[in-house]
Amino acid sequence: MRLSSYIRKPAMGAAATLLLAGCTGGQGVGRAVERAAKRPASWTDLPVRTGARDVVHTGTDHRSYDVRITVKSLVRGSEEDMRGARVDKGLKGMVPHYLTFEVTNTGRKKIPAAYMVDSDFALNGTDWARGEEVFVSGGAPGGADLPCADTAPKTLAPGDSYSTCLTYALPEGVGVLSLTHNADGYLDEGGAVAAWPVEGGLEAASTGLAEPGDIVRVRWDAREDGILELPATLVSVRRGSATDLAGLDLDLNENERRGVPYYVSVTYTSTGPKDLYTNQASHVRLLTEGGRQIPGKTPFVPDTGIPGCPSDWVARMISPGDSVTECSIHLVTDDGDKPFAVGFAEADRPGLVAWRAPLR
């Protein structure tokens, strides 16, 4: 199965697509509370698991703040919502989704730039790609002519709350798997993650996944030899223990050191005509039920001694027609999340190929 992949980038300060709805003043960046009045009949409420999660927000000052986020609703809009606006070409044919939630400062410190709390959010599609966050500007004061109005304050005092909304765009036909909030402000790193799943999203995401043992041709950049299509087979996904990693020279942050390692083994076959350098494991992603893509870490030592995760393939060549099984280590840092599939990020092609994960 081919899935969309996302670009690895920090959540805080990340560039986003603009949806401009006039220039008549109003608040600069409108991330909006969904308007209850004159709601279009084309809008659809999605069955997101609402409720509060206590999370940590990394502020613009790089300090940590205790925050409670309460998801209220998730609504799928219509392409019609974007008509009449000056829309970036990348949004053509995309469908907006409106996420309404409340933010409460549960700590003892005032949060600067409180509007940045939502930058830790991600809306994950059933193709495991992230929705494109849409920033809305202009309109009448208070954003009355927009689907959303900016309500986030500049600062948030201890005990205070505000309600707001994010607008995300997904391609037509792609559903929502989940909402996630990453504590350290970097969506692809190993910080603590809070998730709000959408009912039916996981079932939709599983449609068409290759089965373990199926041979899938993956595209890999062999540099001077160009793009190679290698027959690949997912062999196993094994749950490990943090003690397995003791003594290994892995670049782990604090959350990853407390996380659960999973060992993913994939077999590749060299199609020739030259020897194949064994370095494909860096393209493997562990896809979780919460909607995360977790890159692997590879111990560059002759043999890790980890049962089910050998590394004796590192930095060697295999002859045309021969095969090699490579193992990568993926750290799941959310206790409520678990692996669901394994993807391979292909070269020169915007997407993943994926297998269903056979957990052991």
Side-chain angles (χ1 to χ4, degrees):
M1 177 188 182
R2 178 164 303 284
L3 304 173
S4 297
S5 63
Y6 55 64
I7 299 173
R8 182 169 183 169
K9 63 183 181 183
M12 294 182 61
T17 307
L18 291 177
L19 169 59
L20 301 178
C23 299
T24 60
Q27 303 179 36
V29 176
R31 297 186 181 104
V33 175
E34 169 199 335
R35 285 190 314 177
K38 298 182 181 179
R39 170 174 164 152
S42 59
W43 287 13
T44 303
D45 290 297
L46 299 182
V48 62
R49 186 180 300 170
T50 57
R53 305 283 190 278
D54 289 322
V55 303
V56 175
H57 165 62
T58 302
T60 54
D61 57 358
H62 305 294
R63 298 176 67 187
S64 296
Y65 298 89
D66 294 328
V67 171
R68 177 170 297 139
I69 294 178
T70 306
V71 169
K72 300 294 186 65
S73 68
L74 179 63
V75 176
R76 178 184 290 121
S78 166
E79 289 183 53
E80 297 292 329
D81 299 351
M82 296 187 181
R83 295 212 173 161
R86 287 177 289 165
V87 178
D88 186 277
K89 289 182 180 179
L91 288 177
K92 296 295 184 182
M94 304 279 273
V95 178
H97 292 68
Y98 308 116
L99 167 63
T100 303
F101 60 98
E102 181 182 74
V103 176
T104 302
N105 183 352
T106 57
R108 299 181 178 180
K109 299 175 290 186
K110 181 171 66 175
I111 301 176
Y115 57 86
M116 290 298 293
V117 172
D118 60 41
S119 66
D120 301 335
F121 258 114
L123 180 143
N124 307 294
T126 51
D127 58 356
W128 268 279
R130 294 198 186 109
E132 185 78 32
E133 187 175 351
V134 180
F135 290 89
V136 183
S137 66
D145 62 341
L146 301 175
C148 299
D150 184 8
T151 60
K154 290 185 178 179
T155 62
L156 191 64
D160 284 357
S161 301
Y162 69 88
S163 292
T164 190
C165 168
L166 298 179
T167 301
Y168 291 96
L170 288 175
E172 178 67 42
V174 174
V176 181
L177 174 61
S178 66
L179 309 167
T180 50
H181 179 280
N182 192 288
D184 60 10
Y186 290 86
L187 296 172
D188 304 324
E189 299 297 335
V193 178
W196 293 261
V198 173
E199 183 179 342
L202 197 60
E203 290 78 4
S206 68
T207 303
L209 288 176
E211 295 297 331
D214 287 353
I215 297 176
V216 177
R217 299 184 73 87
V218 300
R219 293 171 61 84
W220 183 69
D221 188 356
R223 299 184 182 276
E224 64 272 10
D225 294 326
I227 305 296
L228 302 179
E229 288 196 355
L230 306 177
T233 304
L234 175 63
V235 176
S236 65
V237 180
R238 300 174 184 267
R239 179 184 172 118
S241 169
T243 58
D244 298 343
L245 309 184
L248 294 183
D249 186 19
L250 295 177
D251 183 18
L252 304 180
N253 62 34
E254 183 178 349
N255 283 289
E256 288 172 325
R257 284 193 290 271
R258 293 196 301 259
V260 177
Y262 286 85
Y263 312 127
V264 176
S265 295
V266 180
T267 296
Y268 307 91
T269 300
S270 173
T271 55
K274 298 181 179 180
D275 290 349
L276 176 68
Y277 179 66
T278 55
N279 189 32
Q280 290 71 45
S282 60
H283 293 259
V284 172
R285 307 289 183 263
L286 186 65
L287 310 179
T288 73
E289 291 184 353
R292 298 184 67 198
Q293 290 189 30
I294 303 178
K297 298 177 182 291
T298 304
F300 287 93
V301 294
D303 191 352
T304 63
I306 298 176
C309 193
S311 60
D312 54 358
W313 53 268
V314 174
R316 66 184 179 92
M317 309 289 285
I318 60 171
S319 302
D322 288 345
S323 298
V324 62
T325 299
E326 303 182 10
C327 180
S328 50
I329 301 171
H330 306 256
L331 279 301
V332 176
T333 56
D334 180 7
D335 292 339
D337 205 1
K338 65 179 182 179
F340 184 72
V342 171
F344 186 96
E346 297 201 288
D348 197 31
R349 184 174 288 174
L352 300 173
V353 292
W355 298 265
R356 196 180 313 279
L359 290 179
R360 296 184 185 178

